[in-house]
Structure formats: C-alpha cells, structure tokens
Amino acid sequence: MYKGFIRPLLFLIDPEKVHHLVVFFVRLLSGVPGLNNLIKKALFIKHKSLKTTVAGLHFNNKVGLAAGFDKNAEFFDEFAAFGFSFIEIGTVTPLPQPGNPKPRLFRLPEDKALINRMGFNNKGADYAAAKLRKRRTNIIIGGNIGKNTATPNEKAPQDYLTVFKTLYDQVDYFTVNVSCPNIKDLDKLQDSDSLADILGPLVKFRSEQAIRRPVFLKISPDISFRQLDETLEVYSRMGLDGIIATNTTTDRKCLSYDADFIVKTGAGGLSGLPLKQRALDIVRYICKQSEGRIPVIGVGGIMTAEDAVDMIKAGAVLVQVYTGFIYEGPLIVKRCNQAIAEYLSSRIEQPEVHYVS
C-alpha cells in the first residue's frame, strides 16, 4: 500500500514539505487512544538473536532511525511505535540556526537516493534538551552533535562541548558528527589533530560525571583507508565506544542521472542505495582492522531487508535507516529485523552479544 499508493502521492510534493506533513499526521494519529500500541504490536519484532548490548546499552533489536529525521527531538516518542530499538536525534548545535537556503532536499527515485544540503538546521541544544526531558517512552535516544555553521573550526571544540554538556543528562549516547558534507570545512575536523581537540574535552567532561555516556564517532564514506587508520588510532586513544559508518557522500559517480541533472541539483550529501557498497567496504575494513573489537553501527544504502543482512554480515552490530525508511515506508523496520533474526538464527547458536569499551 505504501509504495503503490501513499509514496507516489507523497513524491508529488516537495521533499521537505512532505517530511513535515508526515510528521504531522503521525503525531495526529498517535493521539488516537490505543493506536500506538496496535502499531507497535504489528511492527515490533522480538527475538533473542536481535538483542545486543553495546557499551552498556541494551538494544531490543538491530534497527535504529538515523540522525537527520528528528532534528529537534520533537517526535521520537511517536516514531518509537514503528519498531525501532533506538532513535538518533539531531544534528544538534549550540545555537539555533536555519540551515542552508531552500531548496535543499532532492529525490533521485531512479537510484533510490536523496541529496540533501540541509546544513544542520535545528532549534538549538536548549530546545532539544527541553523536549527530551518530556520523554514518554524508554526507547534508546542518541544525540548527534555538531558545531554552528558560523563557528570557525578553531573554536569548534567549544561548540561540541557545549552541546555535550547540555544534552548529557537527556540522551543515552552521543554521536560526534565531524563528517557531514553540508557544513563548510567541517570535513577538515576529521584529521587526527582536530579530532583529538574535539574529543578530548568531551572525554574529560564524561570522566567527571556519575554516569558514563557512550560516545560514538560518525565517519565519512569519502575518507581514504589511510585516513581511516588515523581515525581508528584517535578512537583508541580517546577511549570511544563505537563508530557509525557512514555519513552521506559527495561522490556522484554511482548515479544513473546525466551530468546536467547532477550539476543542476548541486552540492550536498548523497544517501540511499548508491552509498551501499562504500558503506559496506568501510564497515568491513573497520571490523578487520580492529579484529572485531570496535562496535560498528552500519548506515548507508539500507533499502531492503537483504541490505540490512549484508551490513550485519560485514560486521555491523546494529544498523540505522533513513532514506530506506522514506522509500520503503515503516515496514522496512520489521522486514530488516525479521531478515536479520533469520540470518542469525541460521548460524550456530550464540549467546547474547555484549560489546564493551
């Protein structure tokens, strides 16, 4: 029904307007007594093979909603009913900012892809923290954090620390986002020295708190394996808890659209099916280099249940969806979990997996 009827109608409307429209209707329907519970019963998959503990967090299944969908922590409670075990809010910056000029979100249906240059549009850390204080569900919440666009890179560490402190008591884990291609020069923060400058104060602040929040690092698919090795060295030195691989890509070589269309669409991060192979390669490389000691959350190009299984086979302990959720609808969560459970159950019986720092 979604792909045959609902999606064609939604795809007639500007993508950013559709996003707000969908959220409005989901929130409206969630107010119908008992409906949320019915949806959850229909979509949530329970299976012992899906349970995974990463850095002390107990995930009921393998599928989460990636950052960028709920930028301001405004509707994670409602979307928890779709069967996710975790939802990542953000990217959140210290101060509110409008993001890049519109239009800034584009569909590429022939390639099952999106291009976005949103530019960390959000209402700021204080707003997100206030929303998170009103949590009604026990779903795991991640906080994806970044710097304000106007903040020069040399002052970026303070921005990250500000958001980290503001959200520390409100989220279950953090994702440090230094890899989004839609903020000018943000990618330069991925070099080892800049990354250490950002992570150092976060790790120090965390060490002074009663509760230890896991810190994950979100990496770009566009870095070389040499750069990735340097990143892994910083990861180990700082005592981080996991890697999210990967962010969106600036690469356009894998698209079927002609050059004129690509030029007309302009800059931005590409997500969806064209990203799948590179994301898998990155996940495999991290798992091989770390001999499986680094928990990796796989994201990028997961459009079907089979794609999710491929990510698990590559070594990911959890997966996230975003573009696949838009193209395939809410059932993608259930289908991915079902397929992963079938795959894991077909292997030799294993105990629940625990990944610690």
Side-chain angles (χ1 to χ4, degrees):
M1 179 179 178
Y2 177 81
K3 289 195 288 184
F5 178 68
I6 298 175
R7 190 179 73 184
L9 290 178
L10 294 178
F11 276 27
L12 294 174
I13 308 170
D14 172 78
E16 196 166 348
K17 290 180 180 178
V18 164
H19 177 81
H20 296 301
L21 185 65
V22 168
V23 168
F24 171 79
F25 278 110
V26 169
R27 298 179 75 174
L28 186 67
L29 291 173
S30 71
V32 178
L35 186 58
N36 258 20
N37 288 333
L38 287 175
I39 294 173
K40 189 172 183 179
K41 287 181 180 179
L43 297 181
F44 199 89
I45 299 297
K46 292 183 178 180
H47 195 281
K48 62 181 180 179
S49 68
L50 298 176
K51 293 182 179 293
T52 305
T53 300
V54 178
L57 298 177
H58 304 288
F59 295 85
N60 289 321
N61 65 55
K62 297 285 190 180
V63 183
L65 181 61
F69 202 89
D70 187 1
K71 293 177 179 294
N72 298 299
E74 293 175 317
F75 44 85
F76 56 87
D77 281 325
E78 291 84 356
F79 276 73
F82 290 125
F84 297 107
S85 68
F86 63 110
I87 291 176
E88 194 167 303
I89 61 102
T91 298
V92 180
T93 58
L95 300 174
Q97 61 181 31
N100 292 323
K102 299 177 183 179
R104 54 192 181 182
L105 182 60
F106 308 89
R107 303 185 193 97
L108 286 72
E110 291 181 19
D111 290 327
K112 293 186 178 180
L114 297 174
I115 290 176
N116 92 83
R117 50 173 176 270
M118 304 299 288
F120 287 0
N121 57 307
N122 75 109
K123 298 178 182 179
D126 288 336
Y127 181 91
K131 289 293 184 181
L132 289 163
R133 290 188 194 102
K134 300 176 182 178
R135 290 169 67 170
R136 303 189 307 274
T137 62
N138 60 1
I139 191 168
I140 291 172
I141 299 294
N144 187 296
I145 63 175
K147 76 174 188 71
N148 281 111
T149 304
T151 302
N153 278 359
E154 58 269 21
K155 295 184 179 180
Q158 184 56 52
D159 267 21
Y160 282 91
L161 183 59
T162 297
V163 187
F164 194 74
K165 289 180 176 180
T166 304
L167 298 183
Y168 196 86
D169 292 331
Q170 311 305 328
V171 300
D172 300 298
Y173 72 85
F174 284 93
T175 297
V176 179
N177 186 356
V178 292
S179 53
C180 177
N182 301 319
I183 302 296
K184 187 176 184 296
D185 294 332
L186 187 73
D187 59 335
K188 293 180 181 177
L189 297 179
Q190 293 183 96
D191 75 73
S192 57
D193 290 339
S194 296
L195 194 53
D197 288 342
I198 289 169
L199 295 172
L202 307 186
V203 172
K204 181 178 184 298
F205 176 83
R206 180 176 68 172
S207 70
E208 299 166 348
Q209 308 308 304
I211 298 175
R212 184 186 188 280
R213 300 292 185 202
V215 177
F216 301 152
L217 179 65
K218 190 163 189 175
I219 62 173
S220 168
D222 299 330
I223 61 175
S224 68
F225 287 134
R226 180 189 59 79
Q227 292 172 307
L228 185 49
D229 286 337
E230 294 174 356
T231 299
L232 296 180
E233 190 278 326
V234 175
Y235 170 97
S236 299
R237 177 157 43 96
M238 292 293 169
L240 302 187
D241 302 279
I243 288 178
I244 298 182
T246 64
N247 215 317
T248 57
T249 179
T250 58
D251 183 25
R252 300 290 190 265
K253 296 192 298 290
C254 46
L255 295 178
S256 63
Y257 289 81
D258 61 43
D260 289 342
F261 175 85
I262 294 172
V263 170
K264 182 180 178 181
T265 302
L270 174 70
S271 63
L273 189 57
L275 182 56
K276 177 186 174 181
Q277 191 56 55
R278 181 58 179 172
L280 285 171
D281 291 343
I282 293 282
V283 170
R284 288 194 191 98
Y285 187 84
I286 295 169
C287 294
K288 180 180 178 181
Q289 291 298 97
S290 70
E291 297 180 334
R293 289 190 295 269
I294 294 179
V296 180
I297 299 175
V299 55
I302 299 176
M303 311 298 290
T304 66
E306 291 73 22
D307 295 332
V309 172
D310 287 343
M311 194 64 80
I312 297 296
K313 288 180 179 178
V317 297
L318 301 165
V319 300
Q320 289 179 323
V321 296
Y322 183 125
T323 305
F325 187 72
I326 293 171
Y327 274 88
E328 300 298 315
L331 280 175
I332 190 174
V333 185
K334 181 177 182 178
R335 290 167 181 159
C336 287
N337 275 315
Q338 283 178 326
I340 293 170
E342 290 173 6
Y343 165 69
L344 293 175
S345 298
S346 69
R347 304 168 67 199
I348 299 174
E349 189 70 21
Q350 298 287 340
E352 181 180 342
V353 181
H354 291 258
Y355 293 86
V356 296
S357 301

